[in-house]
Amino acid sequence: MEKMQSLEEFYRSKFDHVPENIRNGVGHFNVFTIDQYVKKNARPVVYSRKDYFKITLIIGRNRIHYADKVIDIQKQALFFSSPQIPYKFEWIDDHKSGFFCVFTPAFFHHFGNLNDYEVFKPDVIPVFELTDEQLEDIRQIFRKMQVEMVSDYTHKYDQLRNRVFDVLHYTHKIKPALKAEKQKANASQRITYLFLELLERQFPIEDARQRICLRSPSEFAGQLSVHVNHLNRAVKKTIEKTTSEIIAERLLQEAKILLRHTGWNISEIAYSLGFKEATHFNNFFKKNMQMSPVTFREIE
């Protein structure tokens, strides 16, 4: 399997440039039409996980390779993908149409946890066939996204978040029995899902006096009442990353947000993220970002 594709790699492979607001690591959103994106000479999408969320409105016959399943779309459907599960598209005929939007979890900082929505949970098959009437409703939402993306409205990104929530809530309303449609998850998937739930439950950090409690794989294992080796094997099997890597990535993501969006000093940020000393946080940040927290904060 190919390694996880980052947003930077997505833009380089398709557009030969990387938007500046991806590099700051705080949050990103964009919307595209499939008609323009899928061309005769377009590079095929590899079967892999992505480090971003994506909602796709597919119009036309398509085959989605998702996790260990193959899902055929006969006419039109919504597809929700998260960083946890690998996938790729395979167009069955020449008709390729629709929209898709990509965004990072940080884009929704303070606006809710995307993993709380059923369509993004790892034990749900996130493909939803649409009627013609439902197709038109969803198409209108994506068109509004496109208009707002090019506007100079000060609060356009709040509007765009609302449009994403419009799609999420619309889908949950037309498919109210999502839980009944879940595929049976194996033991490794279940323990991994519980671990991810525990990890995300500690964020976002909204007060300098707030401090995360679970930092190490052994602490998570203790909370889940399993041996740490069992947790590590389950996570590695399901996500192909170590438990420590996933924890570190989430801490780094939150560190970037706090450095950009708060006036807290480095010691306060270090404390809130569970580091005993500010120097430990500095070393952690430099190791992962090749720059100090202070330097990162100073970069526009």
Side-chain angles (χ1 to χ4, degrees), residues 54-58 76-81 101 103 117-121 124-131 133-135 137-139 141-142 145 162-179 181:
K54 184 177 180 182
I55 301 176
T56 308
L57 174 60
I58 302 166
Q76 58 225 10
L78 272 173
F79 173 59
F80 297 82
S81 58
C101 59
F103 45 91
Y117 287 87
E118 293 289 335
V119 294
F120 288 124
K121 290 185 182 296
V124 167
I125 300 176
V127 179
F128 306 94
E129 294 273 2
L130 301 173
T131 66
E133 182 180 357
Q134 291 165 346
L135 167 64
D137 290 342
I138 297 297
R139 191 183 348 229
I141 297 174
F142 272 97
M145 288 183 190
N162 288 335
R163 299 306 177 202
V164 173
F165 286 131
D166 285 343
V167 176
L168 289 172
H169 291 299
Y170 188 99
T171 306
H172 282 79
K173 286 178 180 179
I174 64 174
K175 284 286 188 179
L178 280 174
K179 289 188 177 180
E181 299 177 2

Side-chain angles (χ1 to χ4, degrees), residues 84-96:
Q84 298 180 41
I85 307 295
Y87 71 90
K88 78 168 184 176
F89 294 113
E90 179 187 351
W91 290 97
I92 305 301
D93 54 31
D94 292 334
H95 178 66
K96 306 175 181 70

Side-chain angles (χ1 to χ4, degrees), residues 41-62:
N41 297 324
R43 292 174 57 185
V45 177
V46 297
Y47 182 74
S48 65
R49 290 183 301 118
K50 291 40 171 172
D51 74 350
Y52 48 90
F53 287 81
K54 184 177 180 182
I55 301 176
T56 308
L57 174 60
I58 302 166
I59 305 172
R61 293 179 62 217
N62 195 295

